[in-house]
Amino acid sequence: MNLDCERLFRDALDGEHGFPRSLLDELSQRFNEIQDEIRLRRLEGEYGFLDLGLQEATIAGLTTFADTAGQAFDHVLVLGIGGSALGTKALVNALRPRAWNELDDEAREYFPRITVLENIDPVSVSAALRRIDPRRVLVNVVSKSGGTAETLAQYLVVRHWLETAVGPEAAPKHLVFTTDPVEGALRRIADDEGIPAFEIPPGVGGRFSVLSPVGLLPAALVGIDVVALLRGARRALEAAAHEGLRDNPAALYAGLHWAADTRLGARTHVLMPYSDGLRELAEWFRQLWAESLGKRVNRHGEIIHAGPTPLGAIGATDQHSQVQLFMEGPHDKVITFVRVEDHGEDVLIPARSGQPEALEYLGGKTLAGLLGAEQDATEKALAQVGRLSVRITLPRVDAEEIGELLMFFQLATGYAGAWYGVNPFDQPGVELGKRLTFAAMGRPGYSG
Ligand code: PA5
């Protein structure tokens, strides 16, 4: 992947908006401090995702499981929420043929279909359970804490559904957990009932866990090349080993977005891939950026109410939806375009004689050519009116590129936490809602 940040600078925009070039020197000087902070936090057990590039034993274990037990099923049902679900959806969307579940066995090369039951909407849950054959399903319950109400409720519903269909003795054979190595209800159930359970390494939180067994197990089950994913992740980690800010793309991306927010009031950070296969990746990024950086207090306990608002958009579709706002609304956004060079497939737009003149220019071109031209034109149009943007170019959408992109965004988020001075790994803001839910549902100890 390649990162181009040119269109954040005043002299590449309208001469009025954007950064002066001197900002880079200023950020570079502060970068040593940021690096020291991250090194220190890492020693304290944070930034565990930095160790996910090399996981030989884990990969061996989960690919063996996927190639043996896993292939006895023709549907994988993933139960989880937030960081325990969004990464898997991003992987499947990017790296499996579109409309995977609608393909027949041969087109899926006999890999199973997959459903990620992210929410507890009773209509969606009922519909999924009506559609899936319980005799042919492997259920992967994913929860780092093992105590998330939504996931445990899904588990109880699905377990009952399984037991009703296959009987209480066979039901555990349809289950595999991904959870903490020691703590939590899922670990206890796994130990008590001999249910296979993969470990989420300590220090790796939900939204940073896509490249742990959280995302890798379902990925391996549906035939995604998990070794290539980690090879790509290592590329991003190697690029982040550079001490100079200009040579460290993730740190640069984070520093410039922090500065755009805090200096230029560009508080909305949009991720806009020009590929339907990256639609779910934009959703994954939204959670990563929002939950990691939206914080009331900084590391010193001072109240700051900081954090950018992330937004997802899809090119070219959202050119007919949100781009009007990006062009002419408030100057409060940075747009990250993700451009794909080779889509792996293209469609010729046929030339037709006897058509109105307005159609003629399209004939003989291709859809990929049109998509690329639209991305380029949108980026240039935004720059002309002083709108900030960044461009990430992916040569293609394959496991290695996606592994690199996912790790790049995780690194950027880790760096952004340091630029903002907040802890990117906690989420205290969602705890109160959880406690009130427990109280409302009558969980002992929460009645007050
Ligand atoms: O990113 C996070 O930490 C959260 O979004 C969690 O993934 C989410 O709350 C689910 O938590 P758990 O995996 O413990 O069930």
Side-chain angles (χ1 to χ4, degrees), residues 290-363:
E291 206 165 40
S292 303
L293 304 177
K295 298 288 151 78
R296 188 176 75 93
V297 293
N298 63 15
R299 290 276 197 182
H300 307 295
E302 295 154 354
I303 295 180
I304 53 168
H305 292 294
T309 300
L311 207 68
I314 280 287
T317 310
D318 283 314
Q319 288 180 201
H320 301 265
S321 164
Q322 303 185 75
V323 167
Q324 168 63 29
L325 173 72
F326 302 166
M327 282 288 290
E328 296 189 352
H331 278 270
D332 64 351
K333 296 175 192 67
V334 187
I335 291 124
T336 298
F337 292 105
V338 183
R339 183 185 169 90
V340 177
E341 293 283 276
D342 177 358
H343 290 267
E345 208 170 338
D346 205 351
V347 175
L348 178 72
I349 308 171
R352 257 173 97 84
S353 56
Q355 294 298 298
E357 209 184 298
L359 270 68
E360 262 175 26
Y361 74 100
L362 290 170

Side-chain angles (χ1 to χ4, degrees), residues 274 316-317 319-320 339 369-379:
Y274 275 65
T317 310
Q319 288 180 201
H320 301 265
R339 183 185 169 90
L370 179 59
L371 195 60
E374 295 206 19
Q375 188 282 318
D376 202 44
T378 306
E379 190 178 318

Side-chain angles (χ1 to χ4, degrees), residues 80-86 142-152 178-179 186 200 204-209 214 287-288 291-292 425-427 430-431 434:
I81 197 164
S84 291
L86 289 160
V142 188
S143 175
K144 166 89 184 183
S145 61
T148 302
E150 293 89 341
T151 307
L152 292 184
T178 309
T179 190
L186 284 184
I200 308 173
V204 176
R207 56 195 175 273
F208 291 87
S209 68
V214 168
Q287 188 234 3
L288 180 68
E291 206 165 40
S292 303
F425 304 110
D426 66 1
Q427 51 284 326
V430 298
E431 291 307 317
K434 279 190 192 171

Side-chain angles (χ1 to χ4, degrees), residues 65-75 112 135-138 174:
F65 181 85
D67 292 345
T68 52
Q71 296 311 314
F73 303 96
D74 50 37
H75 206 117
R135 295 163 307 169
R136 307 288 309 143
V137 74
L138 176 67
H174 290 251

Side-chain angles (χ1 to χ4, degrees), residues 105-418:
D105 289 347
E106 210 177 318
R108 294 193 330 277
E109 295 174 11
Y110 298 91
F111 287 109
R113 296 187 166 91
I114 183 163
T115 299
V116 181
L117 202 59
E118 226 190 330
N119 205 350
I120 43 169
D121 181 327
V123 181
S124 314
V125 173
S126 307
L129 299 188
R130 271 196 298 271
R131 208 173 53 240
I132 299 169
D133 181 349
R135 295 163 307 169
R136 307 288 309 143
V137 74
L138 176 67
V139 181
N140 180 202
V141 191
V142 188
S143 175
K144 166 89 184 183
S145 61
T148 302
E150 293 89 341
T151 307
L152 292 184
Q154 289 171 350
Y155 162 72
L156 291 171
V157 169
V158 167
R159 177 102 194 217
H160 176 74
W161 168 76
L162 277 175
E163 288 182 356
T164 309
V166 302
E169 265 169 39
K173 296 191 175 57
H174 290 251
L175 292 168
V176 54
F177 295 166
T178 309
T179 190
D180 188 86
V182 188
E183 305 278 328
L186 284 184
R187 178 56 60 186
R188 246 192 343 270
I189 299 169
D191 291 347
D192 290 351
E193 300 192 42
I195 293 168
F198 287 88
E199 297 182 1
I200 308 173
V204 176
R207 56 195 175 273
F208 291 87
S209 68
V210 55
L211 296 172
S212 79
V214 168
L216 295 178
L217 176 63
L221 285 164
V222 297
I224 291 171
D225 184 348
V226 291
V227 174
L229 271 174
L230 293 193
R231 203 164 45 239
R234 285 198 295 278
R235 249 179 10 212
L237 288 165
E238 278 156 26
H242 290 284
E243 288 297 321
L245 181 69
R246 286 179 174 83
D247 301 322
N248 183 330
L252 184 64
Y253 183 90
L256 289 169
H257 276 75
W258 166 76
D261 175 359
T262 56
R263 308 268 174 92
L264 304 179
R267 302 210 160 85
T268 303
H269 296 170
V270 184
L271 184 64
M272 186 165 185
Y274 275 65
S275 161
D276 283 340
L278 302 179
R279 195 180 280 269
E280 296 293 343
L281 196 140
E283 288 295 300
W284 167 85
F285 165 78
R286 213 158 54 87
Q287 188 234 3
L288 180 68
W289 208 242
E291 206 165 40
S292 303
L293 304 177
K295 298 288 151 78
R296 188 176 75 93
V297 293
N298 63 15
R299 290 276 197 182
H300 307 295
E302 295 154 354
I303 295 180
I304 53 168
H305 292 294
T309 300
L311 207 68
I314 280 287
T317 310
D318 283 314
Q319 288 180 201
H320 301 265
S321 164
Q322 303 185 75
V323 167
Q324 168 63 29
L325 173 72
F326 302 166
M327 282 288 290
E328 296 189 352
H331 278 270
D332 64 351
K333 296 175 192 67
V334 187
I335 291 124
T336 298
F337 292 105
V338 183
R339 183 185 169 90
V340 177
E341 293 283 276
D342 177 358
H343 290 267
E345 208 170 338
D346 205 351
V347 175
L348 178 72
I349 308 171
R352 257 173 97 84
S353 56
Q355 294 298 298
E357 209 184 298
L359 270 68
E360 262 175 26
Y361 74 100
L362 290 170
K365 311 284 181 7
T366 71
L367 291 184
L370 179 59
L371 195 60
E374 295 206 19
Q375 188 282 318
D376 202 44
T378 306
E379 190 178 318
K380 285 184 176 140
L382 285 164
Q384 271 186 30
V385 293
R387 307 300 166 137
L388 309 175
S389 73
V390 161
R391 180 201 284 208
I392 292 172
T393 306
L394 293 186
R396 66 199 80 77
V397 175
D398 65 13
E400 199 163 327
E401 295 298 329
I402 292 299
E404 184 177 2
L405 188 63
L406 292 166
M407 186 54 91
F408 164 82
F409 278 125
Q410 292 183 155
L411 283 158
T413 309
Y415 280 118

